[in-house]
Amino acid sequence: MTPGRNPCGQLLSSIAGRLTTMLETSARLLRLLSLLQAHRDWSGADLAERLGVTPRTVRRDVDRLRELGYPVNASPGTGGGYQLGAGAELPPLLLDDDEAVAVAVGLRTAAGQGIEGIGETSVRALAKLEQVLPSRLRRRVGALNAFTVPMLHGPQPSAVDPAVLTELAHLCRDAERLRFEYRTHEGAATRRTVEPHRLVCTERRWYLVAWDLDRDDWRTFRVDRITPRPPHGPRFSPRTPPADDLAAYVSQGVSTRAYASHAVVRLLVPLAEAAERISPSAGVLEAHDENSCTLRTGAASLDVMVIHVMLMGFEFEVLEPAGLTERIRTARDRLSRALERSPRTRDGAGRTPGTRSGSGAAS
């Protein structure tokens, strides 16, 4: 033994070095897997840049993922790259078969019911999971979905097929053109070709924000009226979205821009109180001060707008248009005349003759 050298220390130092390398490699493999799941295609150079390694290291890491059971496909040539394919068997150390089926069914249920706050996340997670499910598990998940009837809500004519949601999510993620048949409110069907951007969900309804190639403008489509008509594609370069806040953009579109008449009113209640009663599909709310908020909404006509605003049950002030104020005066006068014509008792109370109260109900 060489004087002054400690073999135990050398051994521990060597083990520590190997453990550090193993941990760095494991972390890099997880990062690589996450990147492959996030987008359909990656070039070796792009992956190397994102991971901070050489293309040769990327190739070795891809081989390690394949050894672990992850089906990573590689395409040679200038336009080639790496793609995460459908799995021949479920990758180990993640979920067993029963757990994978349970998670997929749970995600489908959450996405189909539009559960507040988790709907969009469920669709993204389901898209990743179904990408690597082996065919035998896909059949099990499909059978459970087809022959299970949830009783979470009443009948929903606007219910969305989760399979359509996941297909749209894939196309948004991969930036592929979507071809579909769209059913209008009147029931007429039209063929559309769009560049899908994002899915937006409300409590009970899903919308697709997309660039309509035929109309050369952004459009919002109800997903329950969409029937995909593949083949889809080709790929496209994503455009700048129509707004930073797509939820507000869709809310304004379905509650205001879709109608012939528009109005802005100030509700004399705090924003939080108004939001409990007014859904995003009924109008767009903005805080004015601590005790009031502004509502932007739409209706088929100003006469319908009067009823729409009154039924919200809040004190309010009309900001625009001036015509809405005139319609409210007309409605007030009409209601006053109706009250004047109503039968009255001797004491002047507006009671229906033969009853004990103004409700008109028999005791």
Side-chain angles (χ1 to χ4, degrees):
M1 181 174 64
T2 304
R5 301 188 67 179
N6 187 343
C8 293
Q10 289 179 329
L11 179 60
L12 291 176
S13 177
S14 175
I15 293 174
R18 291 182 180 179
L19 286 176
T20 299
T21 301
M22 291 173 60
L23 290 174
E24 290 176 351
T25 301
S26 298
R28 195 172 63 246
L29 287 177
L30 291 175
R31 175 64 175 154
L32 173 59
L33 180 59
S34 178
L35 291 172
L36 291 172
Q37 289 178 329
H39 295 283
R40 190 183 70 170
D41 296 309
W42 285 96
S43 69
D46 288 339
L47 287 174
E49 182 181 354
R50 295 292 290 268
L51 296 171
V53 297
T54 65
R56 182 179 180 182
T57 300
V58 169
R59 291 193 293 270
R60 288 202 301 264
D61 287 347
V62 167
D63 289 338
R64 290 190 181 98
L65 288 179
R66 289 167 176 161
E67 291 171 0
L68 292 172
Y70 292 93
V72 182
N73 302 323
S75 302
T78 304
Y82 296 101
Q83 310 90 29
L84 187 64
E89 58 183 51
L90 196 66
L93 304 178
L94 293 177
L95 298 170
D96 62 29
D97 287 5
D98 291 336
E99 290 171 340
V101 171
V103 171
V105 172
L107 291 172
R108 280 181 178 270
T109 301
Q113 295 299 324
I115 299 174
E116 184 178 1
I118 67 169
E120 185 178 356
T121 305
S122 299
V123 171
R124 291 201 308 268
L126 183 57
K128 290 181 179 180
L129 180 60
E130 288 194 337
Q131 190 172 14
V132 295
L133 278 180
S135 59
R136 68 179 185 279
L137 296 188
R138 288 183 185 178
R139 288 195 295 269
R140 289 176 60 183
V141 171
L144 281 170
N145 184 62
F147 295 96
T148 300
V149 181
M151 199 171 67
L152 303 178
H153 300 286
Q156 298 184 58
S158 61
V160 176
D161 182 357
V164 174
L165 280 178
T166 54
E167 183 173 357
L168 298 183
H170 277 296
L171 294 171
C172 289
R173 182 197 64 184
D174 297 338
E176 284 192 34
R177 287 184 180 179
L178 163 68
R179 293 175 177 83
F180 63 96
E181 184 177 279
Y182 192 67
R183 189 179 71 259
T184 65
H185 179 71
E186 294 76 18
T190 59
R191 288 296 184 105
R192 313 294 277 268
T193 301
V194 302
E195 296 176 354
H197 180 67
R198 288 291 187 276
L199 289 166
V200 177
C201 62
T202 63
E203 295 89 344
R204 297 288 186 90
R205 195 161 285 168
W206 286 80
Y207 298 92
L208 173 69
V209 178
W211 178 265
D212 193 316
L213 293 170
D214 296 325
R215 289 152 181 80
D216 197 31
D217 199 3
W218 289 98
R219 290 290 188 270
T220 301
F221 302 94
R222 275 180 47 175
V223 175
D224 59 292
R225 295 177 179 173
I226 290 177
T227 302
R229 298 299 185 193
H232 304 301
R235 303 285 295 274
F236 62 88
S237 298
R239 302 172 187 265
T240 301
D244 292 332
D245 187 346
L246 286 179
Y249 172 81
V250 172
S251 176
Q252 186 175 9
V254 301
S255 67
T256 307
R257 290 194 302 268
Y259 294 96
S261 297
H262 307 154
V264 182
V265 299
R266 180 174 296 139
L267 304 179
L268 305 183
V269 293
L271 175 64
E273 183 176 346
E276 291 178 356
R277 194 174 299 179
I278 301 172
S279 70
S281 59
V284 179
L285 292 167
E286 298 176 4
H288 179 71
D289 54 36
E290 293 183 356
N291 299 312
S292 65
C293 59
T294 302
L295 169 68
R296 300 178 185 275
T297 187
S301 67
L302 289 181
D303 290 323
V304 175
M305 185 78 72
V306 173
I307 301 173
H308 177 52
V309 175
M310 287 293 298
L311 289 178
M312 292 178 182
F314 299 122
E315 297 293 322
F316 65 92
E317 171 191 359
V318 176
L319 300 181
E320 59 181 71
L324 179 57
T325 302
E326 294 302 318
R327 293 296 202 287
I328 292 174
R329 289 196 181 99
T330 300
R332 178 199 62 189
D333 295 342
R334 185 177 294 120
L335 290 171
S336 296
R337 291 192 297 270
L339 288 173
E340 290 298 326
R341 289 192 293 267
S342 298
R344 288 177 173 270
T345 58
R346 291 182 181 177
D347 61 3
R351 299 174 185 167
T352 303
T355 64
R356 298 181 181 181
S357 67
S359 65
S363 60

mmCIF file of all heavy atoms in Angstrom, residues 244-284:
data_model
loop_
_atom_site.group_PDB
_atom_site.id
_atom_site.type_symbol
_atom_site.label_atom_id
_atom_site.label_comp_id
_atom_site.label_asym_id
_atom_site.label_seq_id
_atom_site.Cartn_x
_atom_site.Cartn_y
_atom_site.Cartn_z
ATOM 1 N N ASP A 244 -54.494 37.462 -24.556
ATOM 2 C CA ASP A 244 -53.671 36.811 -23.535
ATOM 3 C C ASP A 244 -54.525 35.952 -22.614
ATOM 4 O O ASP A 244 -54.131 34.858 -22.217
ATOM 5 C CB ASP A 244 -52.924 37.875 -22.722
ATOM 6 C CG ASP A 244 -51.873 38.595 -23.553
ATOM 7 O OD1 ASP A 244 -51.351 37.986 -24.508
ATOM 8 O OD2 ASP A 244 -51.585 39.773 -23.260
ATOM 9 N N ASP A 245 -55.710 36.450 -22.272
ATOM 10 C CA ASP A 245 -56.642 35.728 -21.405
ATOM 11 C C ASP A 245 -57.706 35.088 -22.288
ATOM 12 O O ASP A 245 -58.717 35.709 -22.628
ATOM 13 C CB ASP A 245 -57.272 36.688 -20.392
ATOM 14 C CG ASP A 245 -58.120 35.963 -19.355
ATOM 15 O OD1 ASP A 245 -58.434 34.764 -19.560
ATOM 16 O OD2 ASP A 245 -58.481 36.598 -18.339
ATOM 17 N N LEU A 246 -57.488 33.830 -22.672
ATOM 18 C CA LEU A 246 -58.420 33.166 -23.581
ATOM 19 C C LEU A 246 -59.755 32.856 -22.916
ATOM 20 O O LEU A 246 -60.784 32.809 -23.584
ATOM 21 C CB LEU A 246 -57.794 31.879 -24.126
ATOM 22 C CG LEU A 246 -56.703 32.071 -25.175
ATOM 23 C CD1 LEU A 246 -56.149 30.720 -25.605
ATOM 24 C CD2 LEU A 246 -57.236 32.823 -26.385
ATOM 25 N N ALA A 247 -59.748 32.646 -21.595
ATOM 26 C CA ALA A 247 -61.012 32.403 -20.897
ATOM 27 C C ALA A 247 -61.916 33.631 -21.011
ATOM 28 O O ALA A 247 -63.122 33.518 -21.299
ATOM 29 C CB ALA A 247 -60.756 32.055 -19.435
ATOM 30 N N ALA A 248 -61.359 34.824 -20.791
ATOM 31 C CA ALA A 248 -62.135 36.056 -20.923
ATOM 32 C C ALA A 248 -62.553 36.276 -22.377
ATOM 33 O O ALA A 248 -63.666 36.749 -22.652
ATOM 34 C CB ALA A 248 -61.328 37.241 -20.408
ATOM 35 N N TYR A 249 -61.670 35.932 -23.315
ATOM 36 C CA TYR A 249 -61.984 36.081 -24.732
ATOM 37 C C TYR A 249 -63.191 35.224 -25.122
ATOM 38 O O TYR A 249 -64.117 35.691 -25.794
ATOM 39 C CB TYR A 249 -60.759 35.690 -25.556
ATOM 40 C CG TYR A 249 -60.994 35.625 -27.047
ATOM 41 C CD1 TYR A 249 -60.977 36.776 -27.819
ATOM 42 C CD2 TYR A 249 -61.211 34.399 -27.668
ATOM 43 C CE1 TYR A 249 -61.188 36.714 -29.194
ATOM 44 C CE2 TYR A 249 -61.423 34.324 -29.043
ATOM 45 C CZ TYR A 249 -61.410 35.486 -29.801
ATOM 46 O OH TYR A 249 -61.624 35.404 -31.149
ATOM 47 N N VAL A 250 -63.184 33.960 -24.690
ATOM 48 C CA VAL A 250 -64.302 33.071 -25.007
ATOM 49 C C VAL A 250 -65.566 33.524 -24.287
ATOM 50 O O VAL A 250 -66.663 33.518 -24.857
ATOM 51 C CB VAL A 250 -63.951 31.617 -24.646
ATOM 52 C CG1 VAL A 250 -65.178 30.707 -24.777
ATOM 53 C CG2 VAL A 250 -62.829 31.104 -25.536
ATOM 54 N N SER A 251 -65.432 33.926 -23.030
ATOM 55 C CA SER A 251 -66.591 34.396 -22.275
ATOM 56 C C SER A 251 -67.255 35.569 -22.980
ATOM 57 O O SER A 251 -68.480 35.620 -23.112
ATOM 58 C CB SER A 251 -66.164 34.795 -20.859
ATOM 59 O OG SER A 251 -67.254 35.347 -20.142
ATOM 60 N N GLN A 252 -66.453 36.533 -23.434
ATOM 61 C CA GLN A 252 -67.012 37.679 -24.131
ATOM 62 C C GLN A 252 -67.645 37.262 -25.453
ATOM 63 O O GLN A 252 -68.687 37.786 -25.862
ATOM 64 C CB GLN A 252 -65.927 38.731 -24.379
ATOM 65 C CG GLN A 252 -66.458 40.026 -24.984
ATOM 66 C CD GLN A 252 -65.384 41.090 -25.096
ATOM 67 O OE1 GLN A 252 -64.202 40.819 -24.877
ATOM 68 N NE2 GLN A 252 -65.778 42.293 -25.421
ATOM 69 N N GLY A 253 -67.026 36.288 -26.117
ATOM 70 C CA GLY A 253 -67.564 35.838 -27.394
ATOM 71 C C GLY A 253 -68.921 35.176 -27.261
ATOM 72 O O GLY A 253 -69.843 35.479 -28.011
ATOM 73 N N VAL A 254 -69.064 34.255 -26.298
ATOM 74 C CA VAL A 254 -70.320 33.505 -26.178
ATOM 75 C C VAL A 254 -71.393 34.286 -25.445
ATOM 76 O O VAL A 254 -72.583 33.996 -25.593
ATOM 77 C CB VAL A 254 -70.077 32.144 -25.481
ATOM 78 C CG1 VAL A 254 -69.074 31.322 -26.254
ATOM 79 C CG2 VAL A 254 -69.605 32.333 -24.041
ATOM 80 N N SER A 255 -71.012 35.280 -24.633
ATOM 81 C CA SER A 255 -72.014 36.031 -23.873
ATOM 82 C C SER A 255 -72.346 37.383 -24.482
ATOM 83 O O SER A 255 -73.378 37.974 -24.152
ATOM 84 C CB SER A 255 -71.520 36.252 -22.440
ATOM 85 O OG SER A 255 -70.395 37.122 -22.425
ATOM 86 N N THR A 256 -71.499 37.890 -25.358
ATOM 87 C CA THR A 256 -71.697 39.246 -25.888
ATOM 88 C C THR A 256 -71.621 39.293 -27.408
ATOM 89 O O THR A 256 -72.590 39.633 -28.084
ATOM 90 C CB THR A 256 -70.641 40.206 -25.289
ATOM 91 O OG1 THR A 256 -70.682 40.106 -23.861
ATOM 92 C CG2 THR A 256 -70.925 41.637 -25.713
ATOM 93 N N ARG A 257 -70.450 38.948 -27.975
ATOM 94 C CA ARG A 257 -70.270 39.120 -29.416
ATOM 95 C C ARG A 257 -71.221 38.268 -30.236
ATOM 96 O O ARG A 257 -71.548 38.623 -31.380
ATOM 97 C CB ARG A 257 -68.827 38.782 -29.803
ATOM 98 C CG ARG A 257 -67.798 39.779 -29.313
ATOM 99 C CD ARG A 257 -66.460 39.576 -30.020
ATOM 100 N NE ARG A 257 -65.935 38.236 -29.823
ATOM 101 C CZ ARG A 257 -65.101 37.886 -28.851
ATOM 102 N NH1 ARG A 257 -64.712 38.777 -27.960
ATOM 103 N NH2 ARG A 257 -64.659 36.651 -28.743
ATOM 104 N N ALA A 258 -71.712 37.155 -29.680
ATOM 105 C CA ALA A 258 -72.589 36.265 -30.433
ATOM 106 C C ALA A 258 -73.996 36.837 -30.597
ATOM 107 O O ALA A 258 -74.784 36.303 -31.378
ATOM 108 C CB ALA A 258 -72.662 34.901 -29.739
ATOM 109 N N TYR A 259 -74.328 37.917 -29.887
ATOM 110 C CA TYR A 259 -75.683 38.459 -29.905
ATOM 111 C C TYR A 259 -75.748 39.776 -30.676
ATOM 112 O O TYR A 259 -74.749 40.497 -30.818
ATOM 113 C CB TYR A 259 -76.184 38.677 -28.483
ATOM 114 C CG TYR A 259 -76.362 37.383 -27.717
ATOM 115 C CD1 TYR A 259 -75.363 36.909 -26.868
ATOM 116 C CD2 TYR A 259 -77.511 36.626 -27.865
ATOM 117 C CE1 TYR A 259 -75.518 35.714 -26.175
ATOM 118 C CE2 TYR A 259 -77.679 35.436 -27.178
ATOM 119 C CZ TYR A 259 -76.673 34.984 -26.339
ATOM 120 O OH TYR A 259 -76.836 33.812 -25.665
ATOM 121 N N ALA A 260 -76.961 40.098 -31.143
ATOM 122 C CA ALA A 260 -77.161 41.317 -31.933
ATOM 123 C C ALA A 260 -77.072 42.576 -31.080
ATOM 124 O O ALA A 260 -76.622 43.623 -31.548
ATOM 125 C CB ALA A 260 -78.520 41.257 -32.640
ATOM 126 N N SER A 261 -77.515 42.505 -29.823
ATOM 127 C CA SER A 261 -77.526 43.670 -28.939
ATOM 128 C C SER A 261 -76.528 43.490 -27.807
ATOM 129 O O SER A 261 -76.447 42.405 -27.212
ATOM 130 C CB SER A 261 -78.927 43.895 -28.361
ATOM 131 O OG SER A 261 -79.863 44.175 -29.396
ATOM 132 N N HIS A 262 -75.776 44.548 -27.508
ATOM 133 C CA HIS A 262 -74.764 44.522 -26.455
ATOM 134 C C HIS A 262 -75.072 45.604 -25.432
ATOM 135 O O HIS A 262 -75.688 46.625 -25.749
ATOM 136 C CB HIS A 262 -73.364 44.743 -27.030
ATOM 137 C CG HIS A 262 -73.024 43.807 -28.144
ATOM 138 N ND1 HIS A 262 -72.107 44.123 -29.129
ATOM 139 C CD2 HIS A 262 -73.496 42.566 -28.445
ATOM 140 C CE1 HIS A 262 -72.021 43.113 -29.974
ATOM 141 N NE2 HIS A 262 -72.860 42.157 -29.590
ATOM 142 N N ALA A 263 -74.639 45.373 -24.199
ATOM 143 C CA ALA A 263 -74.874 46.363 -23.146
ATOM 144 C C ALA A 263 -73.764 46.303 -22.109
ATOM 145 O O ALA A 263 -73.127 45.255 -21.925
ATOM 146 C CB ALA A 263 -76.221 46.129 -22.470
ATOM 147 N N VAL A 264 -73.552 47.435 -21.446
ATOM 148 C CA VAL A 264 -72.626 47.531 -20.319
ATOM 149 C C VAL A 264 -73.397 48.139 -19.163
ATOM 150 O O VAL A 264 -73.949 49.249 -19.296
ATOM 151 C CB VAL A 264 -71.403 48.404 -20.659
ATOM 152 C CG1 VAL A 264 -70.445 48.443 -19.474
ATOM 153 C CG2 VAL A 264 -70.696 47.889 -21.902
ATOM 154 N N VAL A 265 -73.471 47.433 -18.046
ATOM 155 C CA VAL A 265 -74.198 47.923 -16.871
ATOM 156 C C VAL A 265 -73.300 47.805 -15.649
ATOM 157 O O VAL A 265 -72.399 46.955 -15.600
ATOM 158 C CB VAL A 265 -75.508 47.150 -16.638
ATOM 159 C CG1 VAL A 265 -76.454 47.300 -17.817
ATOM 160 C CG2 VAL A 265 -75.227 45.676 -16.371
ATOM 161 N N ARG A 266 -73.531 48.675 -14.693
ATOM 162 C CA ARG A 266 -72.800 48.612 -13.431
ATOM 163 C C ARG A 266 -73.716 47.965 -12.403
ATOM 164 O O ARG A 266 -74.811 48.453 -12.118
ATOM 165 C CB ARG A 266 -72.375 49.996 -12.971
ATOM 166 C CG ARG A 266 -71.598 49.977 -11.636
ATOM 167 C CD ARG A 266 -71.078 51.365 -11.306
ATOM 168 N NE ARG A 266 -70.103 51.787 -12.310
ATOM 169 C CZ ARG A 266 -70.026 53.016 -12.811
ATOM 170 N NH1 ARG A 266 -70.880 53.950 -12.405
ATOM 171 N NH2 ARG A 266 -69.116 53.317 -13.708
ATOM 172 N N LEU A 267 -73.275 46.834 -11.860
ATOM 173 C CA LEU A 267 -74.027 46.149 -10.815
ATOM 174 C C LEU A 267 -73.580 46.687 -9.463
ATOM 175 O O LEU A 267 -72.366 46.763 -9.194
ATOM 176 C CB LEU A 267 -73.788 44.639 -10.888
ATOM 177 C CG LEU A 267 -74.111 43.975 -12.238
ATOM 178 C CD1 LEU A 267 -73.793 42.475 -12.183
ATOM 179 C CD2 LEU A 267 -75.562 44.197 -12.627
ATOM 180 N N LEU A 268 -74.527 47.045 -8.607
ATOM 181 C CA LEU A 268 -74.190 47.678 -7.336
ATOM 182 C C LEU A 268 -73.980 46.642 -6.243
ATOM 183 O O LEU A 268 -74.533 46.724 -5.140
ATOM 184 C CB LEU A 268 -75.303 48.679 -6.958
ATOM 185 C CG LEU A 268 -75.608 49.727 -8.034
ATOM 186 C CD1 LEU A 268 -76.663 50.718 -7.535
ATOM 187 C CD2 LEU A 268 -74.342 50.462 -8.461
ATOM 188 N N VAL A 269 -73.137 45.663 -6.559
ATOM 189 C CA VAL A 269 -72.723 44.624 -5.609
ATOM 190 C C VAL A 269 -71.250 44.324 -5.881
ATOM 191 O O VAL A 269 -70.756 44.571 -6.990
ATOM 192 C CB VAL A 269 -73.560 43.337 -5.744
ATOM 193 C CG1 VAL A 269 -75.006 43.569 -5.330
ATOM 194 C CG2 VAL A 269 -73.483 42.800 -7.169
ATOM 195 N N PRO A 270 -70.522 43.788 -4.894
ATOM 196 C CA PRO A 270 -69.115 43.432 -5.139
ATOM 197 C C PRO A 270 -68.976 42.371 -6.221
ATOM 198 O O PRO A 270 -69.901 41.591 -6.475
ATOM 199 C CB PRO A 270 -68.635 42.914 -3.777
ATOM 200 C CG PRO A 270 -69.589 43.506 -2.780
ATOM 201 C CD PRO A 270 -70.910 43.593 -3.483
ATOM 202 N N LEU A 271 -67.823 42.321 -6.846
ATOM 203 C CA LEU A 271 -67.564 41.367 -7.924
ATOM 204 C C LEU A 271 -67.786 39.930 -7.484
ATOM 205 O O LEU A 271 -68.402 39.141 -8.200
ATOM 206 C CB LEU A 271 -66.123 41.549 -8.423
ATOM 207 C CG LEU A 271 -65.637 40.550 -9.479
ATOM 208 C CD1 LEU A 271 -66.433 40.693 -10.758
ATOM 209 C CD2 LEU A 271 -64.147 40.738 -9.761
ATOM 210 N N ALA A 272 -67.304 39.580 -6.294
ATOM 211 C CA ALA A 272 -67.435 38.192 -5.821
ATOM 212 C C ALA A 272 -68.892 37.787 -5.694
ATOM 213 O O ALA A 272 -69.269 36.655 -6.032
ATOM 214 C CB ALA A 272 -66.707 38.024 -4.483
ATOM 215 N N GLU A 273 -69.740 38.692 -5.213
ATOM 216 C CA GLU A 273 -71.163 38.375 -5.068
ATOM 217 C C GLU A 273 -71.829 38.208 -6.423
ATOM 218 O O GLU A 273 -72.652 37.314 -6.617
ATOM 219 C CB GLU A 273 -71.856 39.483 -4.272
ATOM 220 C CG GLU A 273 -73.330 39.216 -3.997
ATOM 221 C CD GLU A 273 -73.967 40.282 -3.130
ATOM 222 O OE1 GLU A 273 -73.221 41.076 -2.517
ATOM 223 O OE2 GLU A 273 -75.213 40.331 -3.065
ATOM 224 N N ALA A 274 -71.493 39.071 -7.375
ATOM 225 C CA ALA A 274 -72.073 38.954 -8.710
ATOM 226 C C ALA A 274 -71.628 37.669 -9.392
ATOM 227 O O ALA A 274 -72.415 37.007 -10.089
ATOM 228 C CB ALA A 274 -71.691 40.161 -9.554
ATOM 229 N N ALA A 275 -70.360 37.282 -9.194
ATOM 230 C CA ALA A 275 -69.825 36.088 -9.853
ATOM 231 C C ALA A 275 -70.497 34.816 -9.365
ATOM 232 O O ALA A 275 -70.504 33.803 -10.081
ATOM 233 C CB ALA A 275 -68.318 36.005 -9.637
ATOM 234 N N GLU A 276 -71.073 34.824 -8.169
ATOM 235 C CA GLU A 276 -71.772 33.643 -7.664
ATOM 236 C C GLU A 276 -73.033 33.360 -8.472
ATOM 237 O O GLU A 276 -73.493 32.226 -8.536
ATOM 238 C CB GLU A 276 -72.135 33.846 -6.193
ATOM 239 C CG GLU A 276 -70.932 33.867 -5.256
ATOM 240 C CD GLU A 276 -71.338 34.117 -3.813
ATOM 241 O OE1 GLU A 276 -72.554 34.353 -3.577
ATOM 242 O OE2 GLU A 276 -70.467 34.067 -2.931
ATOM 243 N N ARG A 277 -73.592 34.380 -9.099
ATOM 244 C CA ARG A 277 -74.860 34.224 -9.813
ATOM 245 C C ARG A 277 -74.713 34.326 -11.328
ATOM 246 O O ARG A 277 -75.560 33.820 -12.071
ATOM 247 C CB ARG A 277 -75.853 35.284 -9.312
ATOM 248 C CG ARG A 277 -77.294 35.045 -9.719
ATOM 249 C CD ARG A 277 -78.224 36.049 -9.049
ATOM 250 N NE ARG A 277 -78.168 35.938 -7.593
ATOM 251 C CZ ARG A 277 -78.871 36.708 -6.761
ATOM 252 N NH1 ARG A 277 -79.652 37.660 -7.245
ATOM 253 N NH2 ARG A 277 -78.775 36.548 -5.460
ATOM 254 N N ILE A 278 -73.665 34.980 -11.797
ATOM 255 C CA ILE A 278 -73.501 35.222 -13.234
ATOM 256 C C ILE A 278 -72.343 34.380 -13.742
ATOM 257 O O ILE A 278 -71.190 34.604 -13.362
ATOM 258 C CB ILE A 278 -73.247 36.720 -13.509
ATOM 259 C CG1 ILE A 278 -74.411 37.551 -12.973
ATOM 260 C CG2 ILE A 278 -73.065 36.960 -15.004
ATOM 261 C CD1 ILE A 278 -74.166 39.051 -13.036
ATOM 262 N N SER A 279 -72.624 33.424 -14.599
ATOM 263 C CA SER A 279 -71.586 32.533 -15.128
ATOM 264 C C SER A 279 -70.846 33.217 -16.273
ATOM 265 O O SER A 279 -71.330 34.186 -16.856
ATOM 266 C CB SER A 279 -72.216 31.232 -15.623
ATOM 267 O OG SER A 279 -72.984 31.479 -16.791
ATOM 268 N N PRO A 280 -69.649 32.710 -16.630
ATOM 269 C CA PRO A 280 -68.903 33.298 -17.752
ATOM 270 C C PRO A 280 -69.663 33.278 -19.064
ATOM 271 O O PRO A 280 -69.407 34.102 -19.937
ATOM 272 C CB PRO A 280 -67.645 32.428 -17.825
ATOM 273 C CG PRO A 280 -67.469 31.886 -16.442
ATOM 274 C CD PRO A 280 -68.862 31.675 -15.929
ATOM 275 N N SER A 281 -70.597 32.338 -19.230
ATOM 276 C CA SER A 281 -71.372 32.291 -20.469
ATOM 277 C C SER A 281 -72.510 33.293 -20.479
ATOM 278 O O SER A 281 -73.169 33.480 -21.508
ATOM 279 C CB SER A 281 -71.938 30.871 -20.679
ATOM 280 O OG SER A 281 -72.771 30.498 -19.602
ATOM 281 N N ALA A 282 -72.779 33.956 -19.332
ATOM 282 C CA ALA A 282 -73.849 34.957 -19.264
ATOM 283 C C ALA A 282 -73.328 36.378 -19.374
ATOM 284 O O ALA A 282 -74.101 37.308 -19.628
ATOM 285 C CB ALA A 282 -74.636 34.806 -17.956
ATOM 286 N N GLY A 283 -72.023 36.579 -19.164
ATOM 287 C CA GLY A 283 -71.469 37.918 -19.259
ATOM 288 C C GLY A 283 -70.066 37.980 -18.694
ATOM 289 O O GLY A 283 -69.615 37.052 -18.014
ATOM 290 N N VAL A 284 -69.384 39.071 -18.994
ATOM 291 C CA VAL A 284 -68.024 39.293 -18.514
ATOM 292 C C VAL A 284 -68.068 40.329 -17.400
ATOM 293 O O VAL A 284 -68.559 41.442 -17.592
ATOM 294 C CB VAL A 284 -67.097 39.779 -19.653
ATOM 295 C CG1 VAL A 284 -65.692 40.019 -19.124
ATOM 296 C CG2 VAL A 284 -67.083 38.766 -20.791
#
